[in-house]
Amino acid sequence: MKKFLATTCLAAGLLGLGSAASAAECGDVTIANMNWQSAEVLANVDKFILTEGYGCDAELVVGDTVPTITSMIEKGEPDIAPEGWVDLLPDVVNRGLQEGKLVGAAVALSDGAVQGWWVPKYIVDANPDIKTIDDVLKHKELFPDPEDPSKGAIFNGPQGWGGTVVTTQLYKAYGAEAAGFTLVDTGSAAGLDGSIAKAYERKQGWVGYYWAPTALLGKYEMVKLEHGVPGDMAEWKRCNTVADCPDPKKNDWPKDKVQTLVTKTFADRAGPAMEYLNTRAWTNDTVNKLMAWMTDNQASGEEGAKHFLEENEDLWTKWVSPEVAEKVKAAL
């Protein structure tokens, strides 16, 4: 009996040492908490899983795309940028990867960040022939301008946004003015959101610029229009994204790659935690619905993360081992 107890105690001690070693290996971790909703909730999901599942001492630090990624390369901190919009600064990210300062982990948003022109799903359901921008432009009567119902309206984003420049250029490229459509300046993000909400609640026609992931698309079911042409990146850079370019061509809107970036120093010591960061990914639909819940409930990133982990066990348990999943579930 004494021999059994000694063996059991030794095994328990070794198990404890193993856990302690794993925690020490992971150690202190800083996670960039970007200042928009989808990035904030993902940072909090990572903090919870790394702390409770892997024994890391995880801390959130304030971040934003350019300063965070630049700091990761130049100073080696923070350790993790969960939602890195790498297409916004490709040269900087590539330099970090080539110099061995950064490691690219999972593509956080598995279907990419999406921008383009959208219409309410009820419009498509009632008019199944509407699939492309050109299809919309044949039906100005379905998308009346609030100021002049004899014309159609295309709602643009706020001034200063890249998507607003592109929408203006596509408006020219697709001949929307000749088709009887006006381009409506919504003035602000709130104005853009309000125009969609108003149309949706009245079941009226609406077409215009929007993007995903967003809380609004988790609340209102919208369909992204096809562009009807293949993407041409040279043309996109030459004219579709340049406000004063006089001759824009029809073009497809490329998706943005949203990837988790990790410093090389953390990746080298992260142990099993790195397997999680290389696996963890979710879709626009998942994030849209989560952000809609957060908005409706005025929830913080931490509350959103716990709600996600409680309601989506079938998804996040695929990101981790069964042992880690049990620790995370026990902590909720």
Side-chain angles (χ1 to χ4, degrees):
M1 184 66 182
K2 284 181 182 174
K3 187 177 179 183
F4 170 76
L5 284 171
T7 306
T8 305
C9 290
L10 178 63
L14 288 172
L15 190 63
L17 282 172
S19 300
S22 174
E25 204 172 39
C26 181
D28 294 337
V29 189
T30 48
I31 303 170
N33 188 15
M34 310 287 198
N35 61 352
W36 59 92
Q37 203 176 32
S38 59
E40 183 191 2
V41 72
L42 184 56
N44 276 276
V45 168
D46 285 350
K47 180 187 178 188
F48 197 92
I49 288 178
L50 290 174
T51 300
E52 304 298 344
Y54 294 93
C56 308
D57 186 8
E59 176 193 2
L60 298 182
V61 295
V62 175
D64 208 341
T65 303
V66 176
T68 291
I69 295 173
T70 304
S71 176
M72 289 173 78
I73 296 168
E74 295 179 356
K75 300 177 183 175
E77 57 187 30
D79 296 304
I80 305 167
E83 194 175 289
W85 287 62
V86 297
D87 293 333
L88 293 177
L89 57 170
D91 296 341
V92 175
V93 172
N94 288 336
R95 175 169 65 86
L97 295 170
Q98 288 164 6
E99 292 178 0
K101 305 282 183 66
L102 285 182
V103 173
V107 174
L109 206 55
S110 59
D111 47 354
V114 182
Q115 298 183 76
W117 291 13
W118 306 68
V119 295
K121 185 174 181 292
Y122 54 77
I123 291 288
V124 175
D125 289 344
N127 304 273
D129 59 316
I130 293 180
K131 295 184 174 69
T132 67
I133 291 174
D134 283 321
D135 294 337
V136 160
L137 297 179
K138 294 172 190 168
H139 293 284
K140 66 178 182 179
E141 77 283 354
L142 294 177
F143 306 95
D145 182 341
E147 303 296 321
D148 181 358
S150 71
K151 294 186 174 183
I154 294 162
F155 289 83
N156 209 345
Q159 292 304 312
W161 286 17
T164 303
V165 172
V166 174
T167 293
T168 304
Q169 293 298 76
L170 292 179
Y171 174 81
K172 296 178 201 169
Y174 282 83
E177 186 175 6
F181 281 75
T182 54
L183 188 60
V184 177
D185 179 2
T186 53
S188 65
L192 179 60
D193 287 1
S195 70
I196 294 174
K198 184 177 178 182
Y200 220 96
E201 306 211 341
R202 297 179 180 183
K203 289 292 181 279
Q204 293 172 337
W206 187 96
V207 59
Y209 168 76
Y210 217 73
W211 74 100
T214 50
L216 188 122
L217 292 187
K219 185 172 184 178
Y220 301 117
E221 202 167 356
M222 305 283 282
V223 175
K224 185 177 176 293
L225 294 169
E226 296 169 19
H227 288 236
V229 292
D232 181 341
M233 280 310 294
E235 188 60 32
W236 182 260
K237 289 175 182 173
R238 180 192 77 84
C239 198
N240 293 116
T241 55
V242 179
D244 56 1
C245 180
D247 60 337
K249 309 283 192 296
K250 293 181 180 182
N251 208 345
D252 199 10
W253 203 311
K255 289 183 179 180
D256 283 307
K257 184 178 181 182
V258 180
Q259 185 175 19
T260 298
L261 297 173
V262 178
T263 59
K264 181 70 163 58
T265 51
F266 177 70
D268 288 345
R269 66 178 168 81
M274 198 60 205
E275 294 169 21
Y276 159 71
L277 293 169
N278 283 330
T279 307
R280 187 263 294 115
W282 51 12
T283 64
N284 275 287
D285 188 52
T286 299
V287 184
N288 289 342
K289 286 173 180 165
L290 175 56
M291 289 196 294
W293 178 87
M294 289 172 67
T295 300
D296 287 346
N297 291 277
Q298 297 182 314
S300 65
E302 184 178 2
E303 290 163 340
K306 287 187 177 175
H307 176 78
F308 167 77
L309 292 168
E310 286 164 354
E311 299 296 322
N312 296 272
E313 195 175 295
D314 57 328
L315 173 57
W316 68 261
T317 51
K318 294 173 185 168
W319 303 339
V320 299
S321 69
E323 295 78 16
V324 169
E326 288 309 312
K327 289 179 185 175
V328 172
K329 282 190 259 186
L332 283 171

